[in-house]
Amino acid sequence: MSSKIAAENMPSVQAETPPVVVREYDEGRDMMAVAELERRCEVGQRGKPALVTDLMGDPIGRLRNFASHVMLVAEYGNGKEIVGTIRGCVKTVTIAKRSSNEFPVYVKLAYVLGLRVSSSHRRLGIGTKLVQQLEVWCRQNGAEYAYMATDGSNQPSLNLFTLKCNYVKFRNPTVLVQPVHLHYKPLGSGIAIIRVSPQLSESIYRRIFSHSEFFPKDIDRVLNNKLTLGTFMALTKKSLKNWNPRTGDLPTSFAMLSIWNTKEVYKLQVKGVSGLMYAACLGSRVIDALMPWLKFPSVPNIFKNFGFYFLYGLHMEGKDGSILMKSLCAFAHNMARNDKDCRVLVAEVGQMDPVREAIPHWTKFSWDQDIWCIKNLRAGEENRNSQEYWIKSQISPSVIFVDPRDN
């Protein structure tokens, strides 16, 4: 594919408006300009805390774990100033429908992320052009659908995708955030935590998530990625004695999750908090450090660059499933506690997923307004593999598999 994607027939606001060219990102010559653009776009609302992302010198770091990915930049004027960016990837996922022979139904899906337009160059159609040109690349790489995720409060982003680019609001998963405290969390007596091999994890995940939504066909690639710190299962010590994984049977009660080390890709920082809030958070950590037996719910230092662990593949079964999941999350917390750069644990699950109630989290740090919007990229075309009903379905399945690479 050519390194340049021309912005053809771009409508101009004024006759003298300089041209805009959308092309592929060139790491050698664009890295510094893109980093500066990202920095300018991270400025939040005055007087309110802002969450700032540090890409650690690699603007496409979040994409490298996908086999098929691209980043586009928008150049403005004769000086070819980079004023916009967008990223995308293509993967194959399930659509929560069973085929006639009970095998999962897969489609090729594009994920759109990282749209940025310089504040001094907005309302010129640059964001729309970036989305349109990315969709061209997605179609060329076989994608039938494209989706994006944004916070429910980001109305400009929602307006761009839903009003101008014909995306529709589709799913509304819940993001659950748990701070990592200085004290250890007890796992519970009579509970065993075991590490599950990538091969066995793949087999179990394909079985329990095959008819969920967004389960990636290349789950083996995810589980064997160096960013996956491991897959773990919690079960009672009594049932552990009677469970033989070689039989292919699962324990009657168990909980399971995998841990993704997001901090190796990018880090976050909270800016714009008051001095009083900063002092209160610091005080909570002092108490937690001096008197760990109190198990004081301290707030980690999120005012300097920090990383987080993303929990994915969360699943529980049986009468002890809930308590086993809580113990498994405590195990993940203790694992993160031993990593000085990891300050929070994050999980994202469907609104109606039973596992939601068993995942420890702080309400003030979590939110229900993560909105996923989707678009059929093959609308109007004859495509026997297209499942148009997927978009039209108003009923969300209880289980949505959130790919850690998306975060």
Side-chain angles (χ1 to χ4, degrees), residues 63-225:
L63 301 176
R64 295 188 188 279
N65 296 298
F66 292 98
S68 178
H69 63 266
V70 74
M71 177 175 176
L72 305 180
V73 298
E75 290 181 333
Y76 181 80
N78 296 328
K80 297 184 178 181
E81 178 187 4
I82 292 180
V83 297
T85 62
I86 196 168
R87 302 163 178 84
C89 61
V90 173
K91 56 185 178 178
T92 303
V93 304
T94 55
I95 62 170
K97 182 187 178 186
R98 297 174 185 246
S99 61
S100 57
N101 53 9
E102 293 299 304
F103 287 115
V105 177
Y106 288 99
V107 297
K108 270 201 167 184
L109 176 72
Y111 178 48
V112 180
L113 70 158
L115 176 61
R116 299 283 188 273
V117 176
S118 170
S119 59
S120 58
H121 293 83
R122 290 172 186 169
R123 300 184 183 278
L124 297 175
I126 294 173
T128 303
K129 181 57 64 177
L130 282 165
V131 174
Q132 290 172 343
Q133 294 298 334
L134 180 62
E135 289 176 353
V136 171
W137 178 88
C138 294
R139 290 189 190 94
Q140 290 173 347
N141 285 269
E144 296 179 59
Y145 296 92
Y147 83 110
M148 54 78 71
T150 190
D151 186 275
S153 63
N154 192 345
Q155 199 59 48
S157 179
L158 286 171
N159 288 343
L160 170 64
F161 280 92
T162 60
L163 300 181
K164 295 184 179 181
C165 299
N166 300 317
Y167 285 68
V168 294
K169 293 181 181 179
F170 189 56
R171 299 295 181 242
N172 184 204
T174 299
V175 178
L176 304 173
V177 181
Q178 178 188 10
V180 175
H181 307 309
L182 297 179
H183 59 268
Y184 277 97
K185 289 197 168 188
L187 303 184
S189 60
I191 294 177
I193 308 290
I194 62 171
R195 178 187 287 267
V196 184
S197 70
Q199 294 76 21
L200 181 56
S201 301
E202 178 188 351
S203 174
I204 295 174
Y205 279 158
R206 289 195 187 279
R207 187 188 316 181
I208 61 181
F209 289 114
S210 62
H211 299 119
S212 65
E213 279 188 336
F214 297 97
F215 178 72
K217 192 173 185 179
D218 63 344
I219 186 63
D220 55 324
R221 182 185 179 97
V222 180
L223 293 169
N224 286 288
N225 190 293

Side-chain angles (χ1 to χ4, degrees), residues 107-108 142-146 375-378 383 385-387:
V107 297
K108 270 201 167 184
E144 296 179 59
Y145 296 92
K375 178 179 180 177
N376 184 355
L377 296 178
R378 305 290 182 179
N383 184 359
N385 294 321
S386 181
Q387 301 287 341

Side-chain angles (χ1 to χ4, degrees), residues 174-387:
T174 299
V175 178
L176 304 173
V177 181
Q178 178 188 10
V180 175
H181 307 309
L182 297 179
H183 59 268
Y184 277 97
K185 289 197 168 188
L187 303 184
S189 60
I191 294 177
I193 308 290
I194 62 171
R195 178 187 287 267
V196 184
S197 70
Q199 294 76 21
L200 181 56
S201 301
E202 178 188 351
S203 174
I204 295 174
Y205 279 158
R206 289 195 187 279
R207 187 188 316 181
I208 61 181
F209 289 114
S210 62
H211 299 119
S212 65
E213 279 188 336
F214 297 97
F215 178 72
K217 192 173 185 179
D218 63 344
I219 186 63
D220 55 324
R221 182 185 179 97
V222 180
L223 293 169
N224 286 288
N225 190 293
K226 65 180 181 180
L227 296 180
T228 290
L229 300 180
T231 300
F232 304 92
M233 180 182 286
L235 60 167
T236 63
K237 291 179 179 178
K238 181 178 180 180
S239 63
L240 177 60
K241 296 177 182 178
N242 302 320
W243 180 51
N244 182 2
R246 293 191 182 92
T247 64
D249 296 327
L250 293 173
T252 54
S253 283
F254 73 97
M256 190 170 175
L257 60 76
S258 298
I259 303 176
W260 182 265
N261 188 7
T262 306
K263 71 183 183 66
E264 296 301 319
V265 180
Y266 65 93
K267 293 185 178 179
L268 303 171
Q269 181 181 3
V270 175
K271 291 186 176 182
V273 298
S274 66
L276 181 61
M277 176 64 72
Y278 184 90
C281 294
L282 175 60
S284 73
R285 292 195 299 277
V286 171
I287 296 173
D288 198 9
L290 295 178
M291 295 175 281
W293 60 87
L294 292 178
K295 297 181 176 57
F296 192 79
S298 57
V299 179
N301 188 358
I302 55 177
F303 311 114
K304 292 184 178 180
N305 272 12
F306 69 93
F308 68 92
Y309 288 170
F310 186 80
L311 309 182
Y312 70 97
L314 297 105
H315 178 77
M316 63 187 191
E317 286 186 18
K319 64 181 182 65
D320 298 319
S322 181
I323 192 170
L324 291 171
M325 177 56 70
K326 291 177 181 177
S327 294
L328 201 51
C329 289
F331 172 83
H333 170 277
N334 295 341
M335 202 170 150
R337 179 194 176 278
N338 292 327
D339 186 335
K340 63 182 180 63
D341 293 326
C342 183
R343 312 272 167 77
V344 298
L345 299 175
V346 180
E348 189 167 10
V349 297
Q351 292 267 355
M352 303 303 293
D353 193 331
V355 79
R356 174 184 174 181
E357 300 303 321
I359 301 172
H361 61 280
W362 279 20
T363 303
K364 287 186 177 181
F365 283 15
S366 307
W367 63 95
D368 289 334
Q369 292 300 315
D370 198 28
I371 298 177
W372 292 10
C373 300
I374 198 166
K375 178 179 180 177
N376 184 355
L377 296 178
R378 305 290 182 179
E381 299 179 14
E382 288 188 10
N383 184 359
R384 63 181 182 178
N385 294 321
S386 181
Q387 301 287 341

Side-chain angles (χ1 to χ4, degrees), residues 44-60:
Q45 297 181 19
R46 181 173 296 180
K48 292 186 177 181
L51 188 63
V52 178
T53 304
D54 178 3
L55 298 176
M56 297 168 26
D58 187 4
I60 61 172

